[in-house]
């Protein structure tokens, strides 16, 4: 069994996963409310809260798995990318736990975790490489070609904002709470997606994304309509804005399937929890005749099970080689 810890942003996460990819426990202590009054994650507050929570969350994960530390064979931890202070809490904690029992430790790329979420046992056959994965989260948006589950090749990525950032910033312009993505998702279900015309930007000949112009278009539209009209048409604005983001994501995914002649597709990252994206990707993959893996929502947003999932395909560092392991805000 692998014990994994993930603290790259504002969720304190720990999980126990078997070497076969079966999830025994997956604990997420969300700090969302703590940051809501600031309208975004405050890095210093996030690290302090991780420090307060990480031991209890890890103990919960072991208890939930009905496992003692003596049954754990290796430890995995998110090394980056993310908020450096937040990452350091997880890395230090994982090093401490691993060293106390001289266990091996696997440093994991957070994005690799999102890419392999669908290789975990989800109540159906997990996806097998080769497959394409669309990852859309708060900090990243890219399409990965997975030839071997131990790594991935990036076919295209966002040139500016991430899709989750576009959701959060759009939600803020519409006066919704934080985090904005889930709220915008809910509100959009009551609106008309054809009510407003927002730009669908597909930059260049490749598979890159761009979302910053969309956010600006919403800003102008909100100013033009004025407070009263925005209030009255908030659901229509949400639905139309969401449709623009989702259309771009699905279009690039369809193009990637064509170019790579992919037969299997997976999605991951917080935005993969979006109802409209899930619906539209399902429709697109049905039409293309390719297999689709959509993880349950709790495996899309940040969690430690996916970090253990990535560690299954990595060579862990034996004790004591990892004692000088450092967190990294960016990975090369
Ligand atoms: O993967 P994740 O939990 O953290 C990062 O690695 O960034 O992604 C968080 C992002 C946030 O921007 C959040 O608003 C977005 O995912 N998100 C959603 C939904 N649930 C989470 N966006 C749209 N619809 C949702 N249902
Ligand atoms: Zn993430």
């Amino acid at each position: 069994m692998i014990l994994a810890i993930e603290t790259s942003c504002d969720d304190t996460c720990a999980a126990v996963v078997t070497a076969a990819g079966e999830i025994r426990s997956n604990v997420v202590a969300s700090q969302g409310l703590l940051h809501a009054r600031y309208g975004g994650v405050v890095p210093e507050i996030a690290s302090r809260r991780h420090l307060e929570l990480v031991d209890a969350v890890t103990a919960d994960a072991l208890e939930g798995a009905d496992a003692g530390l003596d049954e754990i064979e290796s430890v995995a931890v998110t090394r980056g990318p993310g908020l450096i202070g937040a990452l350091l809490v997880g890395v230090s904690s994982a090093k401490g736990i691993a060293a106390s029992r001289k266990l091996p430790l696997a440093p994991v790329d957070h994005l690799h975790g999102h890419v392999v979420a669908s290789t975990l046992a989800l109540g159906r056959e997990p996806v097998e490489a080769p497959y394409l994965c669309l990852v859309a989260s708060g900090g990243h948006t890219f399409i990965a070609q997975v030839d071997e589950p131990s790594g991935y090749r990036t076919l295209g990525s966002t040139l500016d904002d991430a899709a989750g950032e576009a959701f959060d910033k759009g939600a803020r312009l519409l006066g919704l709470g934080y985090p904005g993505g889930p709220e915008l998702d809910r509100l959009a279900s009551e609106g008309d997606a054809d009510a407003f015309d927002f730009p669908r930007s597909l930059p260049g000949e490749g598979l890159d994304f761009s979302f910053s112009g969309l956010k600006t278009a919403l800003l102008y539209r909100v100013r033009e309509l004025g407070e009263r009209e925005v209030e009255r048409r908030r659901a229509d604005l949400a639905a139309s804005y969401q449709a623009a983001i989702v259309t771009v994501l699905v279009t690039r995914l369809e193009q990637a399937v064509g170019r790579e002649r992919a037969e299997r597709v997976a999605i991951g990252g917080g935005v993969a929890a979006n109802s409209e994206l899930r619906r539209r990707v399902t429709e697109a993959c049905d039409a293309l005749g390719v297999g689709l893996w959509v993880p349950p929502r709790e495996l899309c947003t940040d969690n430690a099970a996916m970090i253990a999932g990535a560690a299954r395909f990595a060579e862990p560092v034996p004790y004591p080689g990892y004692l000088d392991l450092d967190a990294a805000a960016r990975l090369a």
Side-chain angles (χ1 to χ4, degrees), residues 6 8-9 110-111 114 135 137-140 269-270 300-303 306:
E6 146 69 43
S8 66
C9 192
H110 177 84
L111 300 174
H114 282 305
V135 174
S137 73
H140 301 84
C300 293
T301 48
D302 285 350
N303 66 88
M306 69 179 194

Side-chain angles (χ1 to χ4, degrees), residues 74-267:
S74 71
V75 178
V77 67
T78 304
R79 184 177 163 241
L83 304 170
I84 189 67
L87 288 161
L88 269 171
V89 175
V91 167
S92 312
S93 173
K95 285 200 305 197
I97 293 169
S100 74
R101 306 199 72 94
K102 298 191 167 45
L103 295 173
L105 178 77
V108 172
D109 164 9
H110 177 84
L111 300 174
H112 189 209
H114 282 305
V115 168
V116 301
S118 290
T119 63
L120 293 162
L122 312 170
R124 68 175 277 202
E125 283 295 297
V127 68
E128 273 182 35
Y131 67 95
L132 272 185
C133 188
L134 167 70
V135 174
S137 73
H140 301 84
T141 296
F142 61 98
I143 297 181
Q145 167 65 32
V146 184
D147 294 316
E148 295 289 336
S150 55
Y152 61 92
R153 190 159 47 85
T154 304
L155 302 180
S157 59
T158 184
L159 305 173
D160 41 59
D161 292 352
E165 211 174 336
F167 267 105
D168 295 338
K169 288 178 177 170
R172 199 165 175 173
L173 287 170
L174 294 176
L176 307 178
Y178 169 85
E183 281 226 26
L184 203 148
D185 185 350
R186 216 171 306 127
L187 183 63
S189 68
E190 300 161 13
D192 173 9
D194 296 321
F196 295 95
D197 200 16
F198 286 113
R200 279 110 166 107
S201 164
L202 296 165
E205 298 296 305
L207 295 169
D208 289 334
F209 301 88
S210 166
F211 293 105
S212 64
L214 175 60
K215 172 193 68 195
T216 311
L218 178 63
L219 173 69
Y220 286 146
R221 191 47 74 98
V222 162
R223 280 191 189 155
E224 193 183 291
L225 288 171
E227 212 172 307
R228 251 228 215 117
E229 205 48 19
V230 168
E231 173 85 49
R232 198 174 69 78
R233 308 203 58 191
R234 208 184 296 274
D236 288 344
L237 283 163
S240 305
Y241 183 76
Q242 172 177 272
I245 300 175
V246 169
T247 299
V248 166
L249 293 173
V250 174
T251 303
R252 283 304 196 215
L253 188 58
E254 285 168 340
Q255 291 170 340
V257 167
R259 287 184 198 195
E260 299 291 314
R261 299 181 198 289
E263 289 174 5
R264 287 180 286 272
V265 167
I267 60 174

